[in-house]
Amino acid sequence: MKPAVLVAGANRGIGLAIADRFHGLGYEVFATYRSGHPDRPFRWFELDVREKDGIDALFNEIEKSEATFEALICNAGVTKDQLMLRMSEEDFDLVLDSNLKGAFLLAQRASKTLLKTRKGSITFVGSVVGMSGSAGQVNYSASKAGLIGMARSLARELGSRSIRINVISPGFIETDMTAELSEERKEEILKSIPLARFATVDEVADLAGFLASDSARYITGAVIPIDGGLGMGH
Ligand code: NAP
């Protein structure tokens, strides 16, 4: 039977590249969007990851499909950058609810399905700043650090059922999120990246595809940087 993957936040950027990759690998791709989606042979669902009812409805569809659900990619994420003294409580909550609680709701519901087959993986898309911190990103870095604790706790809860949970930790990737940076800031960042360039979305998709594959069958609770050496392994 065909394997199925759910990619949350698949309409652009890293999520779209990951969805394309899984489709190329022969998966049935369930893909979520909020603001419209490109033309791809995926099963598209409009979903805000903060909404539990929407997540339940989506998993009901996945369970009704012919394919066997094997992989969840929690990629949806937002930034609302501001120095802490000026950061509003609303912007703190928005980022934590989208990036951390949304991932929790997805992982919780996905686990119920994965436990039936006792096989599969959950991959959270974190960020290098979850480990390093970043001025102006108290909310974002806290949400990404939270994913690490959550992944490692889940890895302990679900490991005996052969369900693996890992975190991809990207540095700077060429997407809409980094397009917002000024040229000056980009030059400054490049000086701190040993490989002296940003990554492409396809390079992140390579890692996501690997982590869901059988080649990664003994990898769980790991935080895997894909950052050109920016975090030196962290
Ligand atoms: P992006 O181009 O801004 O795309 C973000 C994706 O998340 C979009 O699909 C967006 O959907 C979705 N999304 C945001 N909030 C959502 C919500 N509440 N419910 C459902 N979907 C939601 O970002 P990206 O650069 O590809 O980043 C993807 C992931 O990688 C994020 O988790 C980000 O934190 C992480 N990351 C990116 C970089 C980088 O350099 N780009 C570095 C480290 C980590 P809509 O389009 O409908 O809003």
Side-chain angles (χ1 to χ4, degrees):
M1 209 187 281
K2 210 176 180 184
V5 62
L6 168 60
V7 184
N11 52 326
R12 57 195 172 101
I14 293 171
L16 179 58
I18 291 175
D20 279 337
R21 177 60 48 90
F22 277 85
H23 181 256
L25 290 168
Y27 283 72
E28 181 79 23
V29 178
F30 291 84
T32 81
Y33 69 96
R34 289 183 311 174
S35 60
H37 63 78
D39 187 19
R40 290 288 200 285
F42 306 156
R43 300 189 46 180
W44 289 106
F45 288 85
E46 190 171 355
L47 177 77
D48 188 313
V49 295
R50 293 168 294 177
E51 295 183 358
K52 195 172 181 298
D53 290 350
I55 291 173
D56 280 339
L58 168 51
F59 272 92
N60 291 341
E61 287 302 311
I62 293 174
E63 285 172 353
K64 272 195 248 155
S65 84
E66 292 293 306
T68 310
F69 181 65
E70 278 192 11
L72 167 67
I73 313 289
C74 292
N75 165 79
V78 284
T79 50
K80 278 280 173 197
D81 298 352
Q82 183 55 272
L83 293 172
M84 191 188 71
L85 287 177
R86 284 192 227 130
M87 186 176 287
S88 67
E89 197 177 330
E90 287 72 27
D91 283 353
F92 184 85
D93 287 345
L94 172 70
V95 173
L96 267 289
D97 285 351
S98 310
N99 300 5
L100 183 59
K101 189 175 170 196
F104 163 74
L105 293 173
L106 283 163
Q108 188 182 46
R109 183 61 187 81
S111 301
K112 287 186 189 158
T113 308
L114 292 173
L115 279 166
K116 290 180 191 157
T117 51
R118 293 184 164 235
K119 184 183 178 209
S121 67
I122 297 173
T123 300
F124 296 125
V125 180
S127 166
V128 66
V129 306
M131 298 289 272
S132 66
S134 168
Q137 293 194 304
V138 160
N139 49 3
Y140 183 75
S141 56
S143 72
K144 296 300 188 179
L147 289 176
I148 297 173
M150 189 159 77
R152 289 183 164 158
S153 303
L154 283 177
R156 292 182 191 281
E157 288 187 18
L158 301 174
S160 63
R161 317 292 163 88
S162 302
I163 300 168
R164 301 176 298 100
I165 296 92
N166 293 293
V167 181
I168 287 177
S169 185
F172 288 88
I173 319 296
E174 288 162 2
T175 66
D176 294 346
M177 205 175 255
T178 46
E180 286 172 14
L181 297 167
S182 68
E183 282 309 312
E184 214 178 1
R185 180 79 185 110
K186 279 189 193 164
E187 286 304 315
E188 207 176 275
I189 293 165
L190 283 174
K191 286 185 201 146
S192 57
I193 302 175
L195 289 181
R197 63 174 178 84
F198 286 7
T200 66
V201 289
D202 288 333
E203 288 171 318
V204 183
D206 286 341
L207 180 54
F210 166 73
L211 279 175
S213 77
D214 204 41
S215 302
R217 61 191 173 277
Y218 204 56
I219 302 178
T220 194
V223 178
I224 306 189
I226 173 149
D227 63 2
L230 176 65
M232 279 294 151
H234 294 290

